Amino acid sequence: MDSVITLDYGSGGKKTSALIEEMILPLLGNQALDELTDGAILPGAEKLVFSTDSFVVSPCFFPGGDVGKLSVCGTVNDVCVSGGEPRYLSLGLILEEGFPTGDLERILQSIGNTARQAGVQIVTGDTKVVERGRGDGIYINTSGIGFLRRPGLSPRSIRPGDSVLLSGTAGEHGAAVMLARNANLVQGELVSDCAPLTGLSRALYTLGDALRVMRDPTRGGVATTLCEFVENTPLTVELQEEAIPVSRAVLSACDILGLDPLYCACEGRLLAVVAPEAEREALSLMRSVPEGEGAAVIGRITDARPGRVVIRTAVGGSRIAAKLTGAQLPRIC
Amino acid sequence: MDSVITLDYGSGGKKTSALIEEMILPLLGNQALDELTDGAILPGAEKLVFSTDSFVVSPCFFPGGDVGKLSVCGTVNDVCVSGGEPRYLSLGLILEEGFPTGDLERILQSIGNTARQAGVQIVTGDTKVVERGRGDGIYINTSGIGFLRRPGLSPRSIRPGDSVLLSGTAGEHGAAVMLARNANLVQGELVSDCAPLTGLSRALYTLGDALRVMRDPTRGGVATTLCEFVENTPLTVELQEEAIPVSRAVLSACDILGLDPLYCACEGRLLAVVAPEAEREALSLMRSVPEGEGAAVIGRITDARPGRVVIRTAVGGSRIAAKLTGAQLPRIC
């Protein structure tokens, strides 16, 4: 391998083979991927969950993770919140000419480690190289297949009286990436929450029908995700502002950057709506896994303001949280 | 919709919703995609074929197709040659800020038309927008799921005496894109062969075990694909140069561009190796579908030069075809 990626590595010829055999297979290989065929052949299931995401995060290394870890977590988590047990991932790399081979190796290591942690295999892949100035180091697409374990999860299952839970502090990923992008700002202890939600979602599946819907609040954050739950419905999400866990580090970073933590992306948090009688069990199930230690009940479903998310403040006021309107945080994932 | 793509369309907020609801769903919608959940829930099968490809072709419109048509054909064809009946596609868009909305619409129309033609549904998707100068208009990743119909297709099934067939002329896609990239060259009648191989591969599945392996010779072309069939084996591919169908338009374009048609990508051709007793049937099956009208037997498997592809010329000479070594045609797909 050369020390930087050249266009030759995208040719489909010898250099492409070298990249695959000397770097990708040693780090990510398994029975299906090792075949190096155009498509992986896999044991299937009666119902599948299928999801895709491209990752263009800038910078591609940030406190708490990198684009590789993110690209596994992002797609794994989408499969989880759809009621699936994630099993297989595809990996599509778009590399910019001149990208350091050592950085690629670190990212692939990170992909391998996160895939093992999440219990998924990378079974098929593709690499393209674009000329210098036509990309930004590395873009990654992952698509994921899971086996459906919990059908019927949907915002349409939400009822008035239901509880809204969040598995940990809001906005860590968004704030960490924004700080990393501003090298002149103090970065302190702030790290991305980027993590696979396999354990957390598997724990919640045991709630049966009392689990209405789950979502990982990524782009647009907790506020935008909750808006999507109730828009065009007669339902309201009423949040208690002081109940929403936000770390001191995120608060002060958002203060400097002029951001609202409720609109900052999480990449390792779960938002869940559960039946009122299941609230306590859901909370203890969440707290029973390491990624859910900081779980909290943050609000309730009512019919006070149809289609709206209302935030009640500690002093008794309230404000409406609208969907994110602009590109508050471009290229956060 | 605005007339060009802005970073807001990648925010995950209102503009992203507008893009999805006003353009993507009207053009590509179906029961699974319309749900707009993080993962599509799909009826599955006992064995799956899973494949992924990113498409970075430059220019994104070329004679005979565009990056949208290509992104459906490329992944559909990889599923087909792996023995699968393609069923579901994911669609990951990476758009550059400033990309014309009208061009995006044309590309999505092309994706919709080609998906219908190939019998697949776009069931899940994702859109990211990167800043001006960090991409090149549009990059597309598609991943495809198929149901396994013909297990065991593999270069390992090839035996001496087997026949090598090509479903039509070589190099049309590569030559057409390279000409399109050089606006000053006459483009004439040359168009990409970009097409789904669903009909052609379904026809060949009926051959049973006599069908050894199939491949769509994309990056690296017919020569590189055949090299991959026999490298590190005791087998030889012996091609008859005059039997390989190459159009006059490709020959003259390759002449101008200094390219070899056997290394130019096809995006709608099938290379197949079949048992000698099935050669005639395979040829008539290929010719029975419109995409295989130009099919020909182009060579035979021997053990004369282990691991090599040998091209026998009309005058009795021979030359070795090696795997593509450099980036002869960067960003051809």
Side-chain angles (χ1 to χ4, degrees), chain B residues 107-139:
Chain B
I107 288 168
L108 290 171
Q109 273 164 348
S110 172
I111 288 173
N113 292 337
T114 315
R116 272 183 292 280
Q117 193 191 340
V120 295
Q121 289 187 316
I122 313 291
V123 294
T124 188
D126 172 65
T127 304
K128 293 293 187 316
V129 181
V130 297
E131 305 91 336
R132 211 179 285 266
R134 300 294 183 177
D136 193 10
I138 181 168
Y139 296 148

Side-chain angles (χ1 to χ4, degrees), chain A residues 9-13 16 125-129, chain B residues 53-54 216-222 224-225 228 263-267 324 329 331-333:
Chain A
Y9 285 99
S11 66
T16 306
D126 172 63
T127 304
K128 293 291 187 317
V129 181
Chain B
D53 245 317
S54 300
D216 55 331
T218 57
R219 272 186 299 183
V222 168
T224 300
T225 304
E228 287 169 0
Y263 289 89
C264 280
C266 308
E267 289 290 346
L324 187 64
L329 301 171
R331 297 186 54 195
I332 209 69
C333 59

Side-chain angles (χ1 to χ4, degrees), chain A residues 10 14 17 38 40 42 44 46 48 50-51 53-54 126-128 131 134 139 143 215 219 323 327 331, chain B residues 8 10 17 38 40 42 44 46 48 50-51 53-54 126-128 131 134 139 143 215 219 323-324 331:
Chain A
K14 280 189 184 173
S17 300
D38 288 330
L42 310 166
E46 207 173 302
L48 305 174
F50 187 28
S51 186
D53 245 318
S54 300
D126 172 63
T127 304
K128 293 291 187 317
E131 306 89 335
R134 301 293 182 177
Y139 297 148
S143 299
R215 203 62 60 86
R219 273 188 297 183
K323 251 172 119 163
R331 298 187 52 195
Chain B
D8 289 353
S17 301
D38 287 331
L42 310 166
E46 207 174 300
L48 305 174
F50 187 28
S51 185
D53 245 317
S54 300
D126 172 65
T127 304
K128 293 293 187 316
E131 305 91 336
R134 300 294 183 177
Y139 296 148
S143 300
R215 202 62 61 85
R219 272 186 299 183
K323 253 173 118 162
L324 187 64
R331 297 186 54 195

